[in-house]
Amino acid sequence: MNISANFDSGNIEVLDASNPQRVLLAMRRDLNSPHFQWFHFKVEGLNPGQRYGFSLTNAGQSSYANAWSGYQAVASYDQVNWFRVPSRFENDALDFAIEPSEAQVWFAYFEPYSRARHAWLIEQALSKSGAELFACGKSIEGRDIQLLRVSRNPDAQRNIWLIAQQHPGEHMAEWFMEGLIERLQQRGDAELDALLAQADLYLVPNMNPDGAFRGHLRTNAAGRDLNRAWQSASEADSPEVYFVQQQMRAVGVDLFLDIHGDEEIPHVFTAGCEGNPGYRPRLERLESQFRRLLVDMGAEFQTEFGYKRDEPGQANITLACNAVGEEFDCLAFTIEMPFKDHDDHPNPQTGWNGERSKQLGKDVLSVAAAMVGQLRE
Ligand code: GEM
Ligand code: ZN
């Protein structure tokens, strides 16, 4: 049996593979950071039908150790179709087993979104979704941070921004962006036509390509949590945020959505700007309407579970959602999808996955279309 992770978004350390019934593994930390929780590795040389057991022995020391209970690891024989495998968090380790039908299998924390697929998505956006490469920043290690613009009406008055995967292990975020970009290819989509008659879209499908490639959970290559850098971004240690902030200030922002994944809460939810100093009834009304429309249209979304609301004036303004909402006095959300499942409509075979993330991206466009005329009322 051979175990490897030396590939795009790979992350594992083999401690002891002598017993195939209990292969001892450990997750590697993000570069220059104490954070870890993402894993992604390949096992080959398996005997189909034989049982194999794997143990992530340092799960109890990971960034969100409470999140392992109720979590099921994902596996794939072809890197296309991913399924959940029975997993158990016990004695500080996450254990899972498989009786493979194939001689090789990949395991990951969530369905990975590869750098190759990112390059394909950018090409799709430019060639079929009517997007242009509005600007292109660079990550610490020199990878492109593409800022796409979709503009169909030169007189459009609103600017709607979506950024994704500031936290590189939250691969569901770029799946969400793929769904949104895919919908932009549709012709005769009345909602989309209405939206783009009034607004330009500014899309960053991946804010943290270095972290994604390196199999990080939380930080960029300098060990910075980009979602804590929005009051202190620098070209030295957070060029990814620095670049996007510059562009936002040049263009303006009327609606901002920051796409993430959450390790612990088994639901899709949003976090708003209720703790911002500048939060007013106007924004509260817009937030309620956005959430209500997403529920009413039947999207996989709910408002019962989520983060504790911030007290008035107590928002952490270093977060993208709060920083942008405050600076531009606009509707701004963090959109969270689960690493586990959306327990309102559970799918035991797949849990939450890329396809469901894509659908949410499409559904959010419908809500943006319904609200674009009220963003500055
Ligand atoms: C979260 S955003 C946390 C938002 N919390 C409240 N109370 N608004 C983060 O950055 O920690 C997003 C994420 O990591 O997915
Ligand atoms: Zn996040």
Side-chain angles (χ1 to χ4, degrees):
M1 169 173 62
N2 180 53
I3 298 174
S4 60
N6 186 19
F7 48 74
D8 171 15
S9 81
N11 183 325
I12 208 67
E13 195 186 331
V14 180
L15 303 180
D16 179 351
S18 56
N19 175 3
Q21 297 290 325
R22 187 164 164 67
V23 177
L24 303 182
L25 304 166
M27 292 163 277
R28 278 188 290 100
R29 295 180 187 286
D30 296 2
L31 198 57
N32 302 310
S33 160
H35 281 293
F36 71 89
Q37 190 130 354
W38 174 261
F39 62 90
H40 180 197
F41 60 96
K42 179 184 181 183
V43 189
E44 43 198 334
L46 298 171
N47 297 320
Q50 178 182 329
R51 181 189 180 282
Y52 294 85
F54 301 90
S55 180
L56 299 183
T57 58
N58 60 347
Q61 290 77 50
S62 67
S63 299
Y64 302 97
N66 296 340
W68 294 116
S69 56
Y71 166 78
Q72 309 290 317
V74 292
S76 177
Y77 295 119
D78 58 11
Q79 295 181 289
V80 174
N81 302 291
W82 293 81
F83 53 93
R84 297 280 171 162
V85 292
S87 310
R88 192 181 57 227
F89 181 57
E90 202 170 51
N91 305 323
D92 269 359
L94 183 80
D95 299 332
F96 47 92
I98 192 168
E99 282 184 20
S101 57
E102 311 272 340
Q104 68 180 19
V105 63
W106 284 263
F107 292 105
Y109 188 29
F110 189 82
E111 183 177 359
Y113 200 94
S114 72
R115 298 303 83 217
R117 193 170 185 125
H118 169 81
W120 168 84
L121 180 62
I122 298 297
E123 189 38 50
Q124 288 288 300
L126 298 177
S127 60
K128 296 180 183 168
S129 302
E132 63 178 299
L133 185 60
F134 183 73
C136 194
K138 290 287 185 186
S139 69
I140 286 188
E141 294 183 320
R143 293 182 175 90
D144 286 346
I145 313 281
Q146 293 95 350
L147 169 58
L148 305 175
R149 178 170 76 168
V150 180
S151 175
R152 285 196 200 154
N153 175 7
D155 302 324
Q157 296 297 305
R158 298 285 171 258
N159 297 304
I160 295 175
W161 287 72
L162 292 96
I163 70 172
Q165 219 164 333
Q166 287 195 87
H167 293 140
E170 297 165 14
H171 285 245
M172 56 286 279
E174 190 155 10
W175 283 111
F176 175 105
M177 296 300 274
E178 178 176 310
L180 187 147
I181 288 167
E182 189 175 281
R183 182 170 177 187
L184 290 170
Q185 294 169 17
Q186 282 172 5
R187 296 291 166 259
D189 184 328
E191 284 181 332
L192 207 52
D193 295 344
L195 173 63
L196 294 172
Q198 302 173 75
D200 292 342
L201 304 183
Y202 289 83
L203 312 173
V204 182
N206 193 302
M207 282 288 292
N208 195 338
D210 297 350
F213 180 78
R214 286 179 167 278
H216 283 188
L217 172 75
R218 191 91 182 159
T219 74
N220 70 354
R224 278 296 306 261
D225 178 340
L226 295 183
N227 206 29
R228 296 298 183 273
W230 286 72
Q231 297 299 329
S232 58
S234 74
E235 291 184 289
D237 72 1
S238 44
E240 302 88 355
V241 171
Y242 188 86
F243 160 68
V244 169
Q245 272 187 318
Q246 276 188 316
Q247 297 296 326
M248 285 179 162
R249 288 164 182 159
V251 168
V253 185
D254 298 303
L255 166 60
F256 173 62
L257 302 176
D258 181 21
I259 315 303
H260 285 255
D262 182 83
E263 292 79 3
E264 188 161 6
I265 299 172
H267 299 278
V268 177
F269 62 96
T270 53
C273 295
E274 69 278 351
N276 276 5
Y279 193 67
R280 296 288 181 275
R282 176 182 82 87
L283 292 174
E284 184 170 19
R285 276 197 309 276
L286 287 173
E287 286 187 358
S288 303
Q289 187 175 4
F290 185 99
R291 291 174 167 137
R292 189 174 57 253
L293 285 169
L294 202 48
V295 169
D296 291 353
M297 69 166 293
E300 290 206 276
F301 174 73
Q302 56 74 53
T303 57
E304 182 183 351
F305 301 94
Y307 296 140
K308 182 175 169 305
R309 285 172 63 86
D310 290 331
E311 291 302 316
Q314 300 303 310
N316 179 342
I317 208 76
T318 68
L319 274 67
C321 168
N322 295 334
V324 174
E326 184 71 9
E327 178 171 350
F328 296 94
D329 188 25
C330 69
L331 178 59
F333 279 120
T334 303
I335 294 183
E336 294 284 356
M337 293 169 278
F339 277 94
K340 297 175 186 176
D341 199 348
H342 180 56
D343 282 358
D344 310 71
H345 303 286
N347 180 329
Q349 281 66 47
T350 64
W352 190 258
N353 67 356
E355 202 50 45
R356 295 168 79 180
S357 305
K358 285 180 65 173
Q359 184 55 52
L360 185 65
K362 294 175 179 173
D363 292 341
V364 161
L365 268 187
S366 294
V367 175
M371 291 189 66
V372 62
Q374 306 148 47
L375 294 176
R376 287 296 175 191
E377 276 181 0

